[in-house]
């Protein structure tokens, strides 16, 4: 037993937390049943994404891939298209690879053993705890940002939550205070408390169902916790983007590499400019690397798109594709209607919207 939980009234805490959760739990689509596949999909979607954003994506995803086998058998481009706009695409690529392995190695049944489940691609400690406790009742801790915040305040933990050792410490605390007769509901209740009451800023301490057990509230320091190191300055990357139409009104797109940022998504031709003239760099890149003759006009818009570790500064140039006979992979010429079938990152979805607003539809620029 850790020093934090040595004298902690775990049974009383469980009672008050679970009574509150029974009254206040949100009606969310992934809570309608405990199908391990659906729980898994929801937990992957909820990583680094708000609940309100996830709801329509979850419903759309499950409608298109209602079973694990349906997702395992799907083409990657189709999977990326259904995920389009949700971001952090490595999540769905890992999920897709993992369900394929579940189909072949485990006969389509999500393994209920923590060691086996954790060996699947993209499955970390949180996912193991969340999926196995919710779907199978396995008493594994599910420690996400919400739970770390709750526990930091509850037990007055001042260790940096960005450190792996702190997460391990919280996982041990959860094991010692967990309601073992219903670990899934307990994990879900802790997460819900962090989402609704024990929020990052201005926590609702006076409404908290477990306020009586909270050391940070007793010390008046709830808003100062948790402790987390600040992120380093993000890298600024200037990028020029070309929207090129041929004489038939088709638009040139290309598929990104199969590894790295936004892997296998489609985009409009682009290049980093490194401070040089974007129009000139684009024309040079498309001409020299891919043998395509283009004619660009001046930029129509510039905007920023932020990732967790960098910021793209995009400048959009409309243009004309003069010669399209040599078009080959990774490029493709598509009509405006056909464009809708391809999965684009959010930044390039905005490029297309800005272009259509400027041009009034796809046409050759004057």
């Amino acid at each position: 037993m850790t020093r934090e939980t040595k004298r902690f009234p775990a049974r009383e805490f469980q009672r008050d937390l679970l009574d509150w959760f029974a009254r206040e739990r949100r009606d969310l689509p992934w809570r309608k049943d405990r199908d391990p596949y659906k729980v898994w999909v929801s937990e992957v979607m909820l990583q680094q994404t708000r609940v309100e954003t996830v709801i329509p994506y979850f419903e759309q995803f499950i409608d298109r891939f209602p079973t694990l086998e349906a997702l395992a058998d799907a083409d990657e481009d189709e999977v990326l298209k259904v995920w389009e706009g949700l971001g952090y695409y490595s999540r769905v690529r890992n999920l897709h690879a993992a369900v394929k392995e579940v189909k072949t190695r485990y006969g389509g049944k999500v393994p209920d053993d923590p060691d086996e489940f954790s060996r699947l691609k993209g499955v970390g400690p949180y996912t193991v705890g969340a999926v196995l406790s919710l779907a199978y009742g396995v008493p594994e801790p599910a420690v996400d940002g919400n739970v770390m915040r709750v526990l930091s305040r509850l037990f007055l933990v001042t260790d940096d939550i960005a450190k792996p050792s702190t997460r391990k410490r919280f996982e041990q605390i959860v094991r010692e205070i967990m309601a073992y007769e219903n670990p899934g509901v307990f994990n879900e209740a802790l997460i819900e408390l962090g989402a609704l009451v024990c929020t990052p800023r201005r926590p609702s301490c006076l409404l908290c169902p477990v306020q009586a057990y909270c050391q940070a509230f007793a010390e008046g320091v709830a808003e100062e916790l948790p402790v987390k190191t600040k992120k380093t300055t993000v890298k600024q990357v200037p990028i020029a983007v070309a929207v090129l139409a041929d004489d038939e009104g088709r638009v040139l797109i290309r598929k990104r590499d199969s590894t790295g940022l936004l892997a296998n998504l489609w985009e409009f031709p682009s290049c980093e400019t490194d401070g040089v003239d974007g129009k000139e760099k684009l024309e040079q890149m498309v001409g020299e690397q891919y043998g395509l003759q283009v004619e660009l006009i001046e930029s129509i818009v510039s905007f920023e798109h932020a990732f967790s570790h960098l910021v793209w500064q995009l400048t959009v140039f409309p243009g004309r594709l003069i010669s399209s006979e040599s078009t080959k992979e990774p490029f493709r010429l598509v009509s405006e209607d056909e464009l809708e079938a391809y999965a684009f990152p959010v930044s390039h979805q905005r490029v297309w919207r800005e272009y259509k607003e400027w041009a009034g539809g796809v046409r050759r620029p004057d």
Side-chain angles (χ1 to χ4, degrees):
M1 183 169 289
T2 60
R3 55 186 170 82
E4 289 90 358
T5 61
K6 193 170 185 180
R7 293 185 176 84
F8 186 74
R11 297 303 295 179
E12 292 85 351
F13 172 80
Q14 294 166 13
R15 179 200 62 213
D16 292 345
L17 176 66
L18 297 180
D19 285 350
W20 168 82
F21 185 58
R23 296 191 308 269
E24 303 296 335
R25 69 192 297 270
R26 289 171 290 181
D27 182 18
L28 301 173
W30 46 87
R31 289 176 173 169
K32 296 187 186 304
D33 62 53
R34 292 307 190 194
D35 176 358
Y37 165 67
K38 293 177 184 176
V39 173
W40 189 4
V41 170
S42 72
E43 291 299 339
V44 171
M45 287 186 167
L46 286 164
Q47 293 168 17
Q48 299 176 289
T49 307
R50 294 173 60 85
V51 167
E52 296 77 10
T53 302
V54 167
I55 290 172
Y57 278 96
F58 175 82
E59 293 174 333
Q60 173 182 278
F61 198 90
I62 295 300
D63 182 62
R64 181 62 191 85
F65 311 115
T67 64
L68 184 145
E69 290 79 4
L71 179 58
D73 293 341
D75 180 76
E76 185 183 75
D77 284 341
E78 183 184 7
V79 174
L80 290 173
K81 181 61 182 177
V82 177
W83 193 275
E84 183 184 49
L86 195 55
Y88 299 99
Y89 290 89
S90 61
R91 294 180 296 174
V92 72
R93 280 191 290 269
N94 289 339
L95 175 64
H96 195 203
V99 298
K100 288 181 178 180
E101 184 174 351
V102 169
K103 180 183 176 183
T104 57
R105 179 175 293 187
Y106 301 106
K109 179 182 182 295
V110 177
D112 58 6
D113 178 82
D115 290 335
E116 290 182 345
F117 189 46
S118 66
R119 285 196 288 269
L120 296 172
K121 192 167 185 179
V123 175
Y126 169 76
T127 306
V128 169
V131 175
L132 298 194
S133 68
L134 288 167
Y136 295 122
V138 177
E140 285 290 312
V143 176
D144 70 349
N146 284 312
V147 172
M148 287 194 285
R149 183 169 60 254
V150 169
L151 297 180
S152 290
R153 293 167 176 170
L154 196 64
F155 293 99
L156 202 62
V157 175
T158 57
D159 293 353
D160 183 357
I161 64 169
K163 294 181 178 180
S165 59
T166 308
R167 176 183 289 274
K168 290 288 186 183
R169 182 178 177 185
F170 286 141
E171 288 174 350
Q172 184 58 35
I173 289 174
V174 172
R175 291 184 188 280
E176 293 174 4
I177 67 172
M178 176 181 284
Y180 275 76
E181 64 276 12
N182 207 337
V185 173
F186 179 84
N187 281 336
E188 205 168 29
L190 268 185
I191 294 169
E192 194 89 331
L193 185 70
L196 300 183
V197 177
C198 197
T199 50
R201 297 177 184 83
R202 302 182 67 182
S204 303
C205 295
L206 297 181
L207 302 177
C208 180
V210 293
Q211 176 209 105
Y213 311 96
C214 183
Q215 295 181 42
F217 175 77
E219 298 289 335
V221 295
E223 292 195 37
E224 298 173 26
L225 295 172
V227 173
K228 185 177 182 180
T229 52
K230 293 183 179 179
K231 291 182 179 179
T232 57
T233 304
V234 296
K235 181 181 179 182
Q236 306 286 322
V237 181
I239 293 177
V241 185
V243 183
L244 299 164
D246 69 3
D247 291 336
E248 298 177 28
R250 296 176 300 176
V251 181
L252 187 69
I253 60 175
R254 73 173 178 189
K255 196 170 192 178
R256 292 180 64 87
D257 291 341
S258 59
T259 58
L261 183 66
L262 305 175
N264 283 341
L265 293 178
W266 291 83
E267 67 177 6
F268 300 100
S270 63
C271 62
E272 295 183 19
T273 59
D274 301 319
V276 302
D277 180 78
K279 180 170 171 284
E280 181 180 328
K281 184 78 177 289
L282 269 175
E283 289 176 335
Q284 180 182 8
M285 183 270 292
V286 175
E288 292 183 359
Q289 293 187 28
Y290 302 104
L292 298 174
Q293 190 177 353
V294 301
E295 184 181 87
L296 297 177
I297 64 173
E298 295 307 312
S299 64
I300 58 171
V301 68
S302 294
F303 62 91
E304 291 188 346
H305 182 80
F307 297 91
S308 59
H309 60 298
L310 59 84
V311 175
W312 278 356
Q313 299 168 323
L314 298 104
T315 301
V316 182
F317 296 87
R320 177 189 173 202
L321 182 61
I322 299 172
S323 61
S324 57
E325 292 81 7
S326 60
T327 304
K328 56 186 178 181
E329 297 294 340
F331 287 102
R332 192 168 294 181
L333 275 168
V334 297
S335 69
E336 182 173 347
D337 289 340
E338 291 170 335
L339 196 71
E340 299 301 319
Y342 293 83
F344 284 78
V346 169
S347 56
H348 282 252
Q349 290 177 44
R350 180 172 174 183
V351 167
W352 181 239
R353 289 197 304 271
E354 296 282 0
Y355 173 79
K356 288 207 295 182
E357 183 176 332
W358 168 82
V362 178
R363 64 169 176 79
R364 187 180 67 184
D366 298 328

